[in-house]
Amino acid sequence: MRLFCATFFIVLSLITPAAAAPPAKQLFGAKAEGSAQRPAPFGSYAKGCVAGAVELPETGPTWQAMRLSRNRNWGHPSAIDFVQDLSRFAAKQPGWNGLYIGDISQPRGGPMLSGHRSHQIGLDIDIWMRPADQLRLSRNARENISSISLRRAGGAYVNSNWSPQHHAILRAAAKDKRVARIFVFPGAKVQMCKEAKGDRRWLRKIRPWWGHHYHFHVRLNCPRGAKGCVDQAAPPKGDGCADAERWVRDILNPPAPKPVDPKAPKPKPRRDFTLSDLPQQCAAVLQSR
């Protein structure tokens, strides 16, 4: 009976006008476990879902998942494998025993009840900047401990928390062929450009973005053969250092705001996605046991 009611609710959301349909974030946020399907990401990083997601164990030999109450330590198997691989590298760095892992995705991906617009297809991973020196944190501690910020001057520079280990871990992540791009605050990118030696091609994947000073955001490529997955366009050619330097200049000397046209129509508020906005496979992901 419960399965029938859930299926009816999902079907109803597909045929109900968008204005009256429940937000997709409510449907996906209510799921406590991954779907009983073959692993597959559907849609794009900010508009999709993931079938057959795997849960990152709460604690491993070289990692701990943080903020467990959010239940966002789920991802496509390639994301879980990546976390475990990078954490083993991190554990070899002085002062680090591994990684603290923030949000990956909800059990079935999709829009989240709060926070991110992306992280919807199980291929986005937030990794804390705080060195994981203690891997026996309790559930309660993981709800209350915070990461550390690495930024100074609004993100134009790194602060004294920046270390060669941060550089090494970010470099290792960027050199992984599974990775499409990594988001960090502009000052970190500029600092890495200054420190990089030898082959600089990996720097192309390190992209400046607002925030991202308490954690860095790894975005993986769509896995090979994932036909329903939509990759983001590749980063511009080159190492991207000049672009990051422009971000820094704009932080230190903000450009004058553009004049406001009083006759211009007001921008419409962003509408929550409904299930009908997402790839059609997402209905089956919700219906699956």
Side-chain angles (χ1 to χ4, degrees), residues 38-282:
R38 178 180 296 180
F42 296 114
S44 61
Y45 301 94
K47 191 176 183 181
C49 61
V50 57
V54 176
E55 184 179 17
L56 176 72
E58 295 177 1
T59 298
T62 53
W63 74 85
Q64 280 201 293
M66 310 302 282
R67 303 292 191 267
L68 297 174
S69 63
R70 296 178 179 178
N71 198 26
R72 295 177 180 178
N73 55 316
W74 296 76
H76 186 275
S78 62
I80 306 305
D81 289 344
F82 172 83
V83 166
Q84 295 174 349
D85 291 344
L86 185 64
S87 70
R88 282 190 286 269
F89 175 85
K92 298 176 183 178
Q93 306 306 309
W96 296 64
N97 290 320
L99 295 173
Y100 292 143
I101 306 301
D103 290 349
I104 305 176
S105 282
Q106 298 176 138
R108 306 193 188 196
M112 292 186 176
L113 289 169
S114 63
H116 314 280
R117 288 182 61 197
S118 60
H119 290 259
Q120 293 195 27
I121 57 176
L123 297 174
D124 290 294
I125 307 150
D126 285 345
I127 300 175
W128 282 22
M129 296 293 196
R130 183 186 185 118
D133 55 353
Q134 167 61 273
L135 294 179
R136 294 184 178 180
L137 296 174
S138 67
R139 291 181 65 92
N140 183 61
R142 288 185 243 187
E143 295 297 330
N144 293 288
I145 193 174
S146 296
S147 186
I148 59 172
S149 174
L150 301 187
R151 76 176 180 180
R152 179 168 61 89
Y157 307 109
V158 297
N159 62 25
S160 60
N161 289 325
W162 176 261
S163 69
Q165 292 89 327
H166 287 99
H167 180 106
I169 292 167
L170 281 158
R171 179 176 181 270
K175 294 186 75 172
D176 192 305
K177 293 182 179 180
R178 292 169 289 189
V179 172
R181 61 184 66 209
I182 298 170
F183 301 105
V184 295
F185 67 99
K189 165 76 177 193
V190 171
Q191 183 68 24
M192 296 185 77
C193 290
K194 293 177 181 178
E195 296 174 351
K197 298 179 182 179
D199 186 354
R200 299 169 62 88
R201 287 177 293 179
W202 57 272
L203 280 166
R204 180 186 182 194
K205 294 184 184 179
I206 307 288
R207 310 307 302 178
W209 199 248
W210 303 116
H212 296 90
H213 54 102
Y214 285 100
H215 71 270
F216 62 96
H217 177 163
V218 177
R219 173 163 292 168
L220 302 184
N221 292 302
C222 289
R224 183 175 298 178
K227 296 181 179 179
C229 184
V230 181
D231 270 312
Q232 187 176 357
K237 292 183 179 180
D239 61 18
C241 293
D243 183 48
E245 289 169 359
R246 283 193 291 271
W247 280 68
V248 166
R249 288 196 296 271
D250 286 346
I251 292 171
L252 297 174
N253 298 290
K258 295 180 180 179
V260 177
D261 182 357
K263 298 181 179 179
K266 293 183 179 180
K268 295 181 179 180
R270 186 179 294 119
R271 178 177 64 84
D272 284 332
F273 288 142
T274 63
L275 186 56
S276 61
D277 292 317
L278 304 181
Q280 62 181 9
Q281 298 97 327
C282 293

